[in-house]
């Protein structure tokens, strides 16, 4: 088995696609409208789905906001230069909500950014896990 995708419900698909593609550098892999169900699925990631996991951004046409609750954690991205990546994300208009540094109670070097819905994306400095 392998991880195929993680599904996130998003309130504004255009804003989310801009964040995940322009700000985080992902590719839009495929997008399909389901008019009978009044929703759109857009898959984004860093490579083709037959070899890379993807995010499934689900847009329900009648829902513009979700209660994220306190159970959801994050998706994590490995990065070569966490400081440079955070600077680039800020420059592109992204929101860094936790500056790079060792995790609390540990040594892995992490940072957190927030997507347009408030979902957190963790950046992990490669080689520090
Ligand atoms: C290893 C890396 O992938 C992590 O996600 S560790 C990040 C760390 N997680 C926790 O502390 C989990 C327990 C916490 N009580 C929770 O439920 O989230 C984290 O979020 N650290 C915060 C920080 O600023 O270092
Ligand atoms: Ni993590």
């Amino acid at each position: 088995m392998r991880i195929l995708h993680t599904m996130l419900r998003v309130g504004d698909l255009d804003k989310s696609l801009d964040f995940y593609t322009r700000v985080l550098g992902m590719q839009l892999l495929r997008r399909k409208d389901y008019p009978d169900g009044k929703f759109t699925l857009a898959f984004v990631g860093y490579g083709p789905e037959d070899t890379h996991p993807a995010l499934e951004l689900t847009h329900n046409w009648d829902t513009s906001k979700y209660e994220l609750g306190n159970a959801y954690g994050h998706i994590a991205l490995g990065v070569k230069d966490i400081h440079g990546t955070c600077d680039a994300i800020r420059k592109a208009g992204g929101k860094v909500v936790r500056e790079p540094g060792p995790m609390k109670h540990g040594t892995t070097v992490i940072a957190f950014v927030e997507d347009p819905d408030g979902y957190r994306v963790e950046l992990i400095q490669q080689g520090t896990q």
Side-chain angles (χ1 to χ4, degrees), residues 2-5 29-30 43-44 47-55:
R2 67 183 180 89
I3 296 174
L4 291 178
H5 62 254
L29 302 166
R30 55 189 167 106
F43 291 79
V44 295
E49 289 177 78
D50 56 352
T51 54
H52 294 67
L55 290 180

Side-chain angles (χ1 to χ4, degrees), residues 54-129:
L55 290 180
E56 179 185 23
L57 304 178
T58 298
H59 180 230
N60 289 298
W61 299 351
D62 60 357
T63 308
S64 62
K65 189 166 177 52
Y66 291 93
E67 293 302 320
L68 303 192
N70 62 3
Y72 173 81
H74 52 264
I75 61 163
L77 306 178
V79 296
K80 290 181 179 151
D81 170 13
I82 198 164
H83 291 275
T85 301
C86 285
D87 291 345
I89 288 171
R90 262 189 284 264
K91 192 173 174 187
K95 191 176 165 189
V96 176
V97 294
R98 193 271 195 201
E99 292 300 322
M103 63 179 272
K104 288 174 187 164
H105 317 298
T107 57
T108 305
V109 177
I110 65 171
F112 283 107
V113 300
E114 258 184 20
D115 86 346
D117 287 278
Y119 293 114
R120 287 201 165 192
V121 178
E122 181 181 44
L123 306 179
I124 299 180
Q125 175 68 43
Q126 285 173 340
T128 68
Q129 288 200 105

